[in-house]
Amino acid sequence: MSPAVAPLVLTLGEPAGVGPEIVAAAWKALRADQTAFAVIGDAALMRTQGVPVAEIGVPGDVGGLFGSALPVIHRPLPAPVLVGSPDPANASAVADGIEEAVNFALSGEASGVVTAPIAKAPMYASGFRFPGHTEFIAELTADAPYSGTRGPVMMLTAQNLRACLVTIHVALDQVPELVTAERVARTARVVYESLKRDFAIARPRLAMAALNPHAGEGGALGLHELDILIPVAEQLRAEGIDITDPRPADTMFHDEARATYDAAICMYHDQALIPVKTLDFWGGVNVSLGLPIIRTSPDHGTGFDIAGKGVARPDSLIAAIRLASEMAAARAAR
């Protein structure tokens, strides 16, 4: 990591899930690298993970500590942690940790935020009103200056595939009405700008996935392509964005096809998630694009069923940390 780039800051997510153990495992894997990070969370909880812990005040205190101890910005939990059983009493501390991490990134004290998984039910029980991390972080950063097209847009990435979502967690029968010209165009603009800013791709190439089988077969299998997607692609190309007309999704994700584009614009959840998880089930990363800060996360949940058993794999978190570090370096180099 360049000396000009601040450390990343990690949140522990749901303390009764796999977050603490995969954060400890990620530190073990990365401590010899220059991918330094600080953790916001309960230092006593992290000491139970069998790693040396150094309590610090702010991310800038990481300094030379990272190679010998996990730097933790200590924020004690209000209730004891029973592994595998989330307690709503700790939910406010989870939300506070996310907000503090975002504030460190907004101030420049951290170069980006990497979030471990949260459990929605205890968060909702405590009054948390957001569907998840992405929407919460979008609100926390809403008043911060930002020169690009505002997101958030969810990107899932694994190996050489970046799959970006027009719609996310909605029922399939609601997708067609939500795949509007405005939503598709905004998603493509956010992705195009982010590839240049955060991934250092000078001339990004976007591929648009069709909504219907066979890209609508000229209208025989649906009119969304003719009525909405093709006109949007033409509009975006007129703006200087390199994007294809809608392509049949069943031929977009094999090796040769992926070599022709830098990111895929996908219309619904499974259209993006299935190829990502097929390519790399353990190492996929969730990225929030179009925000004033960098934010990544592992592409999995809290794992209550395996928490504390020593079998949780840190691959996805490690990939999320590395990607956030690369994105931060790309932003710093601009």
Side-chain angles (χ1 to χ4, degrees):
M1 183 181 67
S2 167
V5 180
L8 299 168
V9 63
L10 272 60
T11 62
L12 284 182
E14 169 52 55
V18 298
E21 58 193 281
I22 62 173
V23 167
W27 174 77
K28 290 178 182 178
L30 296 172
R31 60 182 170 175
D33 296 350
Q34 296 302 307
T35 313
F37 58 82
V39 179
I40 296 177
D42 193 310
L45 175 62
M46 291 312 302
R47 289 189 176 96
T48 67
Q49 304 304 314
V51 295
V53 168
E55 293 187 32
I56 61 173
V58 295
D61 294 339
V62 169
L65 291 172
F66 191 75
S68 58
L70 174 66
V72 177
I73 300 169
H74 178 48
R75 299 293 180 263
L77 291 166
V81 173
L82 179 61
V83 176
S85 299
D87 189 335
N90 287 325
S92 60
V94 172
D96 289 346
I98 298 166
E99 184 169 1
E100 186 173 11
V102 168
N103 287 337
F104 279 134
L106 287 172
S107 71
E109 294 177 86
S111 59
V113 176
V114 182
T115 57
I118 58 174
K120 305 295 188 352
M123 298 288 284
Y124 297 157
S126 73
F128 188 74
R129 58 184 179 84
F130 300 91
H133 270 115
T134 303
E135 296 82 1
F136 185 37
I137 293 172
E139 176 155 312
L140 292 173
T141 59
D143 295 330
Y146 186 66
S147 59
T149 304
R150 180 76 67 155
V153 167
M154 181 183 289
M155 169 190 284
L156 285 302
T157 181
Q159 297 186 24
N160 66 340
L161 174 60
R162 302 180 186 94
C164 308
L165 291 159
V166 173
T167 67
I168 307 176
H169 296 118
V170 297
L172 196 56
D173 62 2
Q174 297 175 23
V175 168
E177 65 185 76
L178 295 175
V179 177
T180 62
E182 186 280 330
R183 190 186 294 262
V184 175
R186 182 183 65 85
T187 300
R189 293 185 189 111
V190 169
V191 173
Y192 183 80
E193 294 167 11
S194 182
L195 290 176
K196 296 177 75 172
R197 180 184 59 248
D198 300 326
F199 293 83
I201 299 173
R203 297 180 179 177
R205 303 162 301 163
L206 306 183
M208 181 188 293
L211 176 65
N212 293 304
H214 299 199
E217 197 77 69
L221 297 177
L223 296 174
H224 233 82
E225 287 70 26
L226 294 176
D227 292 347
I228 295 176
L229 299 184
I230 291 174
V232 168
E234 292 171 347
Q235 172 192 338
L236 291 167
R237 287 194 291 268
E239 297 174 11
I241 294 176
D242 183 352
I243 188 168
T244 68
D245 281 341
R247 296 179 175 179
D250 62 348
T251 60
M252 274 187 58
F253 300 109
H254 59 86
D255 291 347
E256 291 84 355
R258 295 199 311 277
T260 67
Y261 59 83
D262 299 301
I265 307 299
C266 299
M267 298 301 128
Y268 56 92
H269 183 275
D270 286 8
Q271 193 176 64
L273 271 290
I274 289 173
V276 166
K277 289 180 181 289
T278 300
L279 274 175
D280 190 351
F281 184 79
W282 298 108
V285 177
N286 180 345
V287 189
S288 297
L289 305 181
L291 296 177
I293 67 167
I294 291 164
R295 181 260 171 162
T296 67
S297 72
D299 183 27
H300 61 70
T302 53
F304 289 130
D305 57 327
I306 61 170
K309 297 180 180 178
V311 298
R313 293 179 55 156
D315 309 44
S316 186
L317 178 61
I318 292 169
I321 294 168
R322 286 180 168 149
L323 180 57
S325 180
E326 292 166 7
M327 293 172 68
R331 282 200 185 186
R334 286 179 64 83

